[in-house]
Amino acid sequence: MWHNDRKSKGGKSMESKLDYTCIVCEKQNKNGIMICTEFICNRCESEIIRTDVTDAKYSFYIKKLKRIWYKNII
């Protein structure tokens, strides 16, 4: 499910007042994706996608993403 800063209501667009906390950077944002019940902002999603498995940041992202599965399965 993609989230952006516009939602339609009655055919009209309006600004969304709802911010989500990214599970990676822990910042508030409106734009990003929901995986199960957890939010990842567009910036972090892009970084995750571009990160090579040999990069030091890769293990950091894996640890953050594991939180999705632990929270929603256990």
Side-chain angles (χ1 to χ4, degrees):
M1 176 186 235
W2 292 93
H3 289 274
N4 57 31
D5 58 353
R6 297 251 180 234
K7 290 187 177 184
S8 87
K9 183 176 181 179
K12 296 180 180 180
S13 293
M14 60 185 239
E15 289 291 320
S16 171
K17 301 291 183 190
L18 188 59
D19 282 354
Y20 299 95
T21 302
C22 176
I23 64 162
V24 178
C25 67
E26 299 179 357
K27 293 181 182 176
Q28 295 285 314
N29 203 315
K30 297 175 188 168
N31 303 310
I33 60 172
M34 293 293 288
I35 300 176
C36 296
T37 59
E38 302 302 321
F39 178 76
I40 299 175
C41 70
N42 287 343
R43 188 177 139 270
C44 289
E45 178 198 10
S46 294
E47 284 294 315
I48 291 167
I49 290 168
R50 284 185 266 137
T51 302
D52 189 87
V53 296
T54 60
D55 192 314
K57 291 187 291 183
Y58 185 79
S59 63
F60 167 78
Y61 291 133
I62 293 299
K63 287 178 186 173
K64 291 289 187 170
L65 295 174
K66 279 183 182 178
R67 292 174 48 197
I68 296 170
W69 313 123
Y70 288 132
K71 280 185 166 182
N72 290 286
I73 293 174
I74 296 175

